[in-house]
Amino acid sequence: MLAAQAFASEAIEVDFSAPAQTLRREIHSSGWAPRSSMRAIQNDDAVIKSMNLAFARTHDWALVNAGQRVVDWQYVFPLAHLDARDPKNYVFGPTDHLLSLARGVGLDIFYRLGTSIEHTGDVHFNALVPDDFEKTAEVFAGIVRHCNRGWADGHEWGIRYWEIWNEPDGTGNMWCLPKERGGGDADAMRDRFVEFFVTVLKRLKSEFPDIKVGGPALCWLNYDYFRKLLGACRDAGVAPDFISWHYYGQNPEELEGTVRPAREMCDSFGFTDCELVVNEYHYLVSWDGIHGENSTPEAVEKALTGPGGHNNIDAAAFYLTMLSRFQDTPLSQAYWYGCAHTGHWGYMDGFKRFNKTYYAAKMFGDILLGYPQYHGVVRKGPFTAMALESADGARKALLFVDYRSGEKAVPIDIRGLDATSAKATALDHLGNLVGRPVKFAPGQVVIEKADSNSCAWLVEFECAKARASSGRWPDGKKAAFMLSFDDGCHTQVKNVFPLLEKYKIPGTFYVCPGWDSFKADEESWANASEYVTLGNHTYTHGKIPDKAALEKEFADCNAAIRRLRPNQKGPISFAIPGAESMHKVLEITDEELAEAYRRNNLVERFPWHGYPVQCKTVKEMEEYVDVVLASGGVGHMDFHGVGGDWLDPGLEYFTALLEKLDSRREDIWFTTHIELVQWLEDKNKKGK
């Protein structure tokens, strides 16, 4: 073991042999997106892409894009007395352009229906309680219809998340009425919003059952307010798809501590499938100096400067602590409140210098690309750590975050890792993602910090297995690449089969043999070429209530695959239906799941990139292929419909991918998931 400087804490322990899980990119979301209002002066695309954020929430975009009438319902439908069913009465152009910019840099959209915050004192114009709840619900339906179903010269964007309003418990700036109309009665205002929420929820779900509708972005996890809301939904026979709330503070345990009670609260109302979303959170010591009557020059200087400043190293460490700790909680999504691009809520200061929270976002975004799997989250007082590994398991790393410990040296015991050396990149008070020396010996590293302030370190290990697998792939190839296809869509048979045969590139098709659409194409699946391998996506892709039902889904799907493709021997690749983790599908332990996989000879597939979550444009897709080649790692793109059906990027997009891959054929090993797993296992056994 290494001798370290004196420190008060005992060593932290991380275990690389613990079960691997996939990092959830949805936790890494924000309000940041390219601006339309400043595009001719400052193009934000490259900066936004550099953070590798998953979702962008549209709240307050009308404030950030000064002078542009975007997103907020009073701008999209400006004359409230007109017919909400007539497309001529909407103004979609500015919002369409802004949403296109966000999608163009790879962001998924979390659309807040309603209005931006209005700090106008006692007089309000935009944040007023709507006069006609039914009509407002109809306007909101028009917005969804335009974005997702092509109505009013619209789009088929497939935006999944639609949030009803923001902070209705903020009756002075978000859900407002003059006192003479009842604006001074908090309970009455709450009850009025609950009625509004149920009205909108029922209207949207009646026409768009495939989207997720929820809200209402309360200022905090206000249990009394949520219980009124959830009780009204239950009584009306309509279930919210998610609830959302905010947090502004400086206590990670306090923020993390809201998640499980929220889960229990939703479950108690019977809403066990209701997702949980913290859709605004930000480090905050005090509102003094940020905004409000007490924002004197002295208060502003105190709030913004030093390690504890609003966007300085304490904020960055708080941010990375939550990005890590949220991973293994029931939370579905989390949004750092980044909205403006400069100033208090931006990623730059007034001099256009990147702040520490930008580097925190970039650090985690890079981790998602390079090390998308983790072996649990370690929490120990002010310290948070995660054992990380690359998608192919060849490279290992450690994320360590110190939030205000005051220590200068921190020992970390490493289990389950055969490492020979280590290098570190640090975000601290003195540097931004800079190299730092790290003390290393087998079984332990010691983080010797540049000072006693908060920090975050990414320690990357050189491992025996990493050295073995970092060489060339089979036949001297520089990288490996897999294609996968979900659900067994008809367009896969119609369009994908002939293209894979033409380009001689294999694919794994995760099928649901219980679907009528699959049964109609059974002959084609049975007679498909050698470039088609079938994978298990469960028999029905339906709700799985218990472990017995899971076993039947596994077995029935396997039986259909063996019947249709009797020459397909050995393990079968498995893709989780409709979720990134089986723990979101049903209650099952890691050990029980591993045993179920073993019994059914299934291997869970690796994380993937693909439309519409990532690589939303041909350019982004081609850049992804280039990144895979440059890293010498494994590329994996997943599709559903191709040239039709659902989640379809278009036949031109898919053909462009095949042409891109074909142009680098000399450098790429085209493989399937099972073939790759078996090759890696054989290689590790041989020690080569």
Side-chain angles (χ1 to χ4, degrees), residues 216-290:
L218 294 184
C219 295
W220 55 289
L221 188 62
N222 186 329
Y223 295 104
D224 291 340
Y225 202 119
F226 268 122
R227 288 188 180 103
K228 284 283 187 180
L229 186 78
L230 295 173
C233 290
R234 181 186 59 193
D235 294 345
V238 61
D241 294 302
F242 63 89
I243 62 167
S244 54
W245 68 95
H246 300 165
Y247 177 88
Y248 289 85
Q250 55 183 320
N251 187 333
E253 287 78 14
E254 183 179 52
L255 174 51
E256 184 183 353
T258 63
V259 178
R260 295 194 185 279
R263 174 75 276 148
E264 293 168 0
M265 178 178 64
C266 290
D267 292 350
S268 72
F269 283 90
F271 300 136
T272 56
D273 293 330
C274 182
E275 297 182 20
L276 310 176
V277 181
V278 174
N279 61 359
E280 285 185 24
Y281 75 101
H282 201 288
Y283 168 87
L284 181 73
V285 175
S286 170
W287 287 107
D288 291 348
I290 303 303

Side-chain angles (χ1 to χ4, degrees), residues 184-439:
D185 187 333
D187 289 345
M189 292 290 280
R190 178 202 60 206
D191 294 346
R192 192 174 296 207
F193 178 79
V194 167
E195 178 189 352
F196 174 73
F197 184 91
V198 172
T199 300
V200 175
L201 179 61
K202 291 180 71 173
R203 174 64 187 88
L204 294 185
K205 294 301 286 187
S206 68
E207 184 176 351
F208 313 103
D210 55 327
I211 66 174
K212 294 181 182 291
V213 185
L218 294 184
C219 295
W220 55 289
L221 188 62
N222 186 329
Y223 295 104
D224 291 340
Y225 202 119
F226 268 122
R227 288 188 180 103
K228 284 283 187 180
L229 186 78
L230 295 173
C233 290
R234 181 186 59 193
D235 294 345
V238 61
D241 294 302
F242 63 89
I243 62 167
S244 54
W245 68 95
H246 300 165
Y247 177 88
Y248 289 85
Q250 55 183 320
N251 187 333
E253 287 78 14
E254 183 179 52
L255 174 51
E256 184 183 353
T258 63
V259 178
R260 295 194 185 279
R263 174 75 276 148
E264 293 168 0
M265 178 178 64
C266 290
D267 292 350
S268 72
F269 283 90
F271 300 136
T272 56
D273 293 330
C274 182
E275 297 182 20
L276 310 176
V277 181
V278 174
N279 61 359
E280 285 185 24
Y281 75 101
H282 201 288
Y283 168 87
L284 181 73
V285 175
S286 170
W287 287 107
D288 291 348
I290 303 303
H291 63 63
E293 295 179 358
N294 295 325
S295 293
T296 62
E298 294 77 16
V300 171
E301 182 176 7
K302 181 179 180 181
L304 300 184
T305 59
H310 190 62
N311 285 306
N312 296 348
I313 191 58
D314 282 357
F318 176 85
Y319 188 6
L320 284 162
T321 295
M322 300 320 305
L323 287 170
S324 302
R325 293 191 177 192
F326 279 151
Q327 291 294 327
D328 61 358
T329 71
L331 195 70
S332 296
Q333 297 180 40
Y335 292 75
W336 181 256
Y337 186 69
C339 195
H341 294 246
T342 58
H344 301 338
W345 312 113
Y347 49 76
M348 295 183 292
D349 64 16
F351 296 98
K352 301 291 181 71
R353 296 174 300 205
F354 290 127
N355 60 35
K356 297 291 183 182
T357 60
Y358 163 77
Y359 289 107
K362 186 179 188 311
M363 187 179 200
F364 202 82
D366 289 345
I367 286 171
L368 287 167
L369 289 172
Y371 298 98
Q373 298 186 90
Y374 75 105
H375 299 267
V377 181
V378 177
R379 302 159 172 84
K380 189 167 186 179
F383 305 121
T384 305
M386 288 197 296
L388 304 167
E389 72 177 38
S390 58
D392 60 4
R395 293 176 294 111
K396 315 286 184 178
L398 166 72
L399 175 64
F400 166 77
V401 186
D402 177 343
Y403 179 62
R404 294 175 166 175
S405 78
E407 301 287 353
K408 283 292 298 288
V410 182
I412 303 174
D413 289 343
I414 309 293
R415 308 296 184 197
L417 181 68
D418 181 16
T420 57
S421 63
K423 63 178 182 178
T425 301
L427 172 61
D428 53 34
H429 183 52
L430 301 178
N432 299 316
L433 304 184
V434 296
R436 297 276 188 229
V438 58
K439 283 191 173 183

Side-chain angles (χ1 to χ4, degrees), residues 503-517:
Y503 286 93
K504 294 181 171 52
I505 296 176
T508 301
F509 294 78
Y510 296 92
V511 298
C512 304
W515 285 9
D516 290 341
S517 57

Side-chain angles (χ1 to χ4, degrees), residues 368-646:
L368 287 167
L369 289 172
Y371 298 98
Q373 298 186 90
Y374 75 105
H375 299 267
V377 181
V378 177
R379 302 159 172 84
K380 189 167 186 179
F383 305 121
T384 305
M386 288 197 296
L388 304 167
E389 72 177 38
S390 58
D392 60 4
R395 293 176 294 111
K396 315 286 184 178
L398 166 72
L399 175 64
F400 166 77
V401 186
D402 177 343
Y403 179 62
R404 294 175 166 175
S405 78
E407 301 287 353
K408 283 292 298 288
V410 182
I412 303 174
D413 289 343
I414 309 293
R415 308 296 184 197
L417 181 68
D418 181 16
T420 57
S421 63
K423 63 178 182 178
T425 301
L427 172 61
D428 53 34
H429 183 52
L430 301 178
N432 299 316
L433 304 184
V434 296
R436 297 276 188 229
V438 58
K439 283 191 173 183
F440 169 80
Q444 189 182 69
V445 297
V446 174
I447 305 294
E448 293 195 324
K449 297 160 53 179
D451 56 25
S452 61
N453 291 305
S454 299
C455 66
W457 284 47
L458 181 68
V459 181
E460 298 174 281
F461 298 100
E462 177 73 18
C463 305
K465 289 185 178 180
R467 287 200 311 274
S469 59
S470 64
R472 302 171 80 81
W473 295 91
D475 301 321
K477 304 295 186 180
K478 294 181 179 178
F481 211 96
M482 302 182 296
L483 296 178
S484 60
F485 306 85
D486 289 5
D487 299 342
C489 310
H490 173 68
T491 54
Q492 295 170 7
V493 174
K494 177 184 176 183
N495 298 325
V496 177
F497 281 13
L499 285 171
L500 294 187
E501 194 164 1
K502 174 184 176 181
Y503 286 93
K504 294 181 171 52
I505 296 176
T508 301
F509 294 78
Y510 296 92
V511 298
C512 304
W515 285 9
D516 290 341
S517 57
F518 181 86
K519 293 176 181 177
D521 287 325
E522 270 201 354
E523 184 176 351
S524 297
W525 289 104
N527 297 317
S529 75
E530 62 184 303
Y531 298 102
V532 172
T533 296
L534 300 191
N536 189 317
H537 205 33
T538 70
Y539 189 70
T540 66
H541 203 296
K543 188 176 179 65
I544 301 175
D546 52 39
K547 291 187 278 282
L550 177 67
E551 191 73 22
K552 181 172 174 54
E553 290 280 346
F554 282 169
D556 289 352
C557 187
N558 275 0
I561 291 172
R562 300 300 190 197
R563 173 174 57 83
L564 293 170
R565 308 284 285 184
N567 293 327
Q568 184 178 318
K569 307 293 186 182
I572 295 176
S573 183
F574 171 69
I576 301 167
E580 71 276 3
S581 168
M582 282 301 294
H583 299 296
K584 283 196 167 186
V585 177
L586 82 165
E587 187 172 336
I588 189 170
T589 67
D590 290 331
E591 293 75 16
E592 290 170 332
L593 180 59
E595 180 60 22
Y597 284 159
R598 187 197 62 76
R599 280 194 305 271
N600 292 278
N601 207 11
L602 296 175
V603 182
E604 188 176 311
R605 73 173 170 186
F606 294 152
W608 50 268
H609 270 56
Y611 183 93
V613 180
Q614 306 99 10
C615 301
K616 295 183 179 180
T617 66
V618 170
K619 181 180 178 183
E620 289 175 6
M621 171 271 292
E622 292 176 337
E623 289 174 349
Y624 172 66
V625 175
D626 290 337
V627 167
V628 171
L629 281 160
S631 69
V634 179
H636 181 191
M637 288 199 68
D638 185 64
F639 295 87
H640 293 76
V642 177
D645 292 320
W646 48 94

